[in-house]
Amino acid sequence: MSSLQDIEEVAADWLLLRDEPEWSQDHEARLQAWLDQSDAHKAAYWRLECSWRAADRIRALGPAPTMAGPWRRTILTKWQPYAIAASVAAAVLGIPATVHFISTAPTAVSGYRTPLGGHEQVALSDGSTVDLNTATIIRAAVSKRQRDVWLDTGEAFFSVQHTGVPFVVHAGSHLVTVLGTKFSVTRDGDKVRVAVIEGRVRVSNADTHEPSPTATITRGAILEAQGSSTLVVQDAETRVQRSLAWRDGMLEFDFTPLGEAALEFNRYNEHKITVTGKARSMPIGGSFKPSNVHAFAELLHDAYGLQVEETPTETKISD
Amino acid sequence: MADEGALQNWFCSEVLPLERALMAFVRRNWREQNDVADIRQEIYERVLIGARAGLPHHASGYLFTVARNHLANRARRAKIVSFDMMADLEVEVRGCAFQPEPALVARDELRLAMRGMDQLPHRCREVVQLRKFEGLSTREVSDRMGISVDTVEKQLRLGVRALADFMHGGSGKIERQSRNSLRLKRGRP
């Protein structure tokens, strides 16, 4: 039997080769054959793969977060000194730094995140601001030539400075392109909602497998998209305003079914509200602090006579 | 009969998080510390063989039972078994089996990955970051950093293994001594 060291090194080599551009069907078949040879091979390969892929999630998030709260760290900016050093060297040697070279120098990517119940405003270097709602992760790469923001999850309100350079929000496969305007984007997996408060935005789907038309929406409109299907609601100004009440630290409901309102609360708190029975469809209205589940539940009990049962982890509401 | 995908999933999410406890258990019950990593690997191999017939309900109880049996067999083969040791094994299993570590939630896993990244040696970390964050190939990393392809490969290999060790509860320090020198140290074939 070959020793662990050997097996582990072969497993590491396979794992690394897999990320290389020359990886082929033939490689895949050979890896499979190697794995099938022995459970020792599988154990070693799976063990390495498991942690190596976990580290991929750091990339998915962009730069490394600190331990808690809003984070900002720019691992990628580390590489800027190289680019600068190279262009200085080029200048000294009298070689003009080419446009191509500049375009390959990576723009610094900054990551920001808010915890459950968090709310944070971020100022970007172009003068635009982004409000992050609860449990939201974004990455931003803003330079003089391009402005890109990736909404990895959650909800963000953008107030974009007009600079003549398109500002692109990547929400999964959906691209929201604007010049200067105010709008919010909410992303939950592949479900994306765009609400416009001022100006106009263009929403397109970058997923080449599913060509879908580009939609342009203006003030007071809401666009909801999932995969290649898109729904636009015009003249929904009050709904747009209401959906942005979180920026003032409030949740606003107007004839909202209680079941939906509960889900909205649950986006902000570990302590969850569950609604059962007919109470789910009961329409409610009003403004509430998202953190004050207790007051909300009390109101439901006093004003609507609903049954409220509170446990340390959840509040159960029924009729 | 568990299919391979389910088996892999179970192995990653239920067994690997127990690695720290497993390593501590093996270390306490095996005199020759140089064998510990090999023993872990042998235990995992047996765990997979057994679990293929049907995924166990309690990964922890199952893992430590396999571990105890394997250590006992190995001890028997090495003819170093003593009653003390067998008694210890019993006690340890009872102690470990019912304290499963809670499965890592995704966020903890991410933090762990980041800490693992931070503790890599400087050059190794740079190579891994270029690969991970910018998706560069070995060739491109070598061009970017001005080091040989061979060096990049060596650093990546080290990074993969160190990250696995750290994330599964080890120190993240990978011994770079060759297998031959290990063999010599053991003084056994």
Side-chain angles (χ1 to χ4, degrees), chain A:
Chain A
M1 192 177 90
S2 54
S3 84
L4 164 72
Q5 285 254 334
D6 281 335
I7 295 176
E8 205 172 88
E9 267 173 28
V10 176
D13 283 346
W14 276 119
L15 191 55
L16 290 165
L17 187 60
R18 230 180 154 174
D19 291 338
E20 294 289 341
E22 70 256 30
W23 184 254
S24 66
Q25 293 274 314
D26 180 49
H27 285 117
E28 183 72 48
R30 274 161 51 207
L31 166 60
Q32 204 50 54
W34 181 77
L35 288 175
D36 287 341
Q37 252 173 39
S38 143
D39 279 320
H41 295 177
K42 275 188 180 151
Y45 184 81
W46 288 350
R47 178 172 173 275
L48 294 182
E49 192 187 32
C50 177
S51 50
W52 190 241
R53 294 290 165 240
D56 276 345
R57 301 187 55 235
I58 306 177
R59 175 169 61 176
L61 283 179
T66 47
M67 282 306 159
W71 48 273
R72 191 203 154 99
R73 195 165 141 197
T74 48
I75 286 181
L76 298 187
T77 47
K78 259 186 130 156
W79 297 103
Q80 282 196 320
Y82 282 71
I84 292 162
S87 48
V88 168
V92 169
L93 293 170
I95 305 162
T98 63
V99 172
H100 170 73
F101 175 76
I102 292 167
S103 69
T104 54
T107 305
V109 178
S110 307
Y112 307 89
R113 77 184 319 173
T114 48
L116 205 62
H119 176 192
E120 204 70 43
Q121 188 175 70
V122 171
L124 301 177
S125 60
D126 66 337
S128 303
T129 58
V130 187
D131 284 70
L132 274 61
N133 200 357
T134 173
T136 298
I137 300 175
I138 68 161
R139 289 169 290 140
V142 174
S143 71
K144 287 210 172 68
R145 274 173 204 80
Q146 61 190 75
R147 304 188 286 176
D148 290 289
V149 173
W150 291 265
L151 176 63
D152 291 324
T153 188
E155 178 168 13
F157 174 79
F158 298 86
S159 179
V160 177
Q161 198 65 243
H162 199 297
T163 66
V165 177
F167 187 103
V168 183
V169 179
H170 305 254
S173 62
H174 289 89
L175 303 182
V176 184
T177 309
V178 302
L179 284 169
T181 177
K182 293 182 179 165
F183 63 103
S184 79
V185 182
T186 311
R187 177 176 174 203
D188 179 10
D190 68 337
K191 256 188 269 173
V192 174
R193 194 181 74 215
V194 183
V196 182
I197 199 166
E198 192 183 297
R200 51 202 278 137
V201 309
R202 191 176 76 216
V203 183
S204 55
N205 195 331
D207 199 338
T208 48
H209 304 295
E210 290 186 22
S212 71
T214 297
T216 300
I217 57 169
T218 52
R219 179 194 173 109
I222 295 177
L223 175 145
E224 306 210 13
Q226 181 164 18
S228 57
S229 50
T230 305
L231 175 76
V232 177
V233 184
Q234 301 288 0
D235 303 322
E237 224 147 319
T238 39
R239 232 185 107 196
V240 171
Q241 290 291 352
R242 210 167 51 235
S243 74
L244 289 170
W246 59 267
R247 287 185 301 141
D248 306 320
M250 298 300 276
L251 288 178
E252 279 192 30
F253 303 117
D254 184 19
F255 286 98
T256 309
L258 181 54
E260 277 176 36
L263 290 179
E264 197 59 25
F265 267 97
N266 291 347
R267 283 178 62 202
Y268 296 82
N269 303 299
E270 292 285 2
H271 184 101
K272 303 297 182 201
I273 305 179
T274 51
V275 187
T276 50
K278 271 186 274 178
R280 268 204 303 251
S281 52
M282 179 180 226
I284 59 148
S287 299
F288 304 93
K289 272 217 162 315
S291 55
N292 203 345
V293 173
H294 181 70
F296 179 64
E298 222 162 54
L299 183 84
L300 291 173
H301 178 68
D302 295 347
Y304 297 94
L306 296 176
Q307 299 293 322
V308 176
E309 187 194 336
E310 299 211 42
T311 74
T313 54
E314 63 174 344
T315 297
K316 293 179 194 164
I317 297 168
S318 55
D319 46 22

Side-chain angles (χ1 to χ4, degrees), chain A residues 1-13 15-22 36 38-69 73 75-76 78-79 82 104 106 113 115-116 270, chain B residues 4-5 7-9 11-13 16 19 37-38 40-42 44-46 48-49 52 106-107 109-111 113-115 117-118 122 125-126 128-139 144-145 153 156-157 159-161 163-165 167-168 174-175 177-179 182-183:
Chain A
M1 192 177 90
S2 54
S3 84
L4 164 72
Q5 285 254 334
D6 281 335
I7 295 176
E8 205 172 88
E9 267 173 28
V10 176
D13 283 346
L15 191 55
L16 290 165
L17 187 60
R18 230 180 154 174
D19 291 338
E20 294 289 341
E22 70 256 30
D36 287 341
S38 143
D39 279 320
H41 295 177
K42 275 188 180 151
Y45 184 81
W46 288 350
R47 178 172 173 275
L48 294 182
E49 192 187 32
C50 177
S51 50
W52 190 241
R53 294 290 165 240
D56 276 345
R57 301 187 55 235
I58 306 177
R59 175 169 61 176
L61 283 179
T66 47
M67 282 306 159
R73 195 165 141 197
I75 286 181
L76 298 187
K78 259 186 130 156
W79 297 103
Y82 282 71
T104 54
R113 77 184 319 173
L116 205 62
E270 292 285 2
Chain B
E4 293 300 295
L7 185 64
Q8 178 178 4
N9 209 6
F11 181 70
C12 286
S13 60
L16 288 177
E19 184 165 307
D38 286 301
R40 180 200 72 214
Q41 168 73 7
E42 288 157 9
Y44 282 162
E45 185 181 358
R46 281 159 182 76
L48 288 184
I49 292 170
R52 189 166 280 116
R107 201 173 25 186
E109 194 182 53
L110 185 65
R111 282 183 191 159
M114 292 180 148
R115 289 222 310 275
M117 205 72 118
D118 280 345
H122 183 66
R125 185 169 63 231
E126 279 190 344
V128 171
Q129 281 179 349
L130 280 181
R131 164 63 74 96
K132 280 285 175 207
F133 300 144
E134 299 197 29
L136 298 190
S137 69
T138 300
R139 176 89 256 163
R144 177 85 77 94
M145 290 182 67
E153 278 176 353
L156 279 174
R157 209 178 292 145
V160 168
R161 296 176 57 207
L163 214 51
D165 186 65
M167 288 195 61
H168 300 134
I174 292 294
E175 298 283 321
Q177 61 200 136
S178 75
R179 194 163 25 85
L182 268 181
R183 278 222 179 110

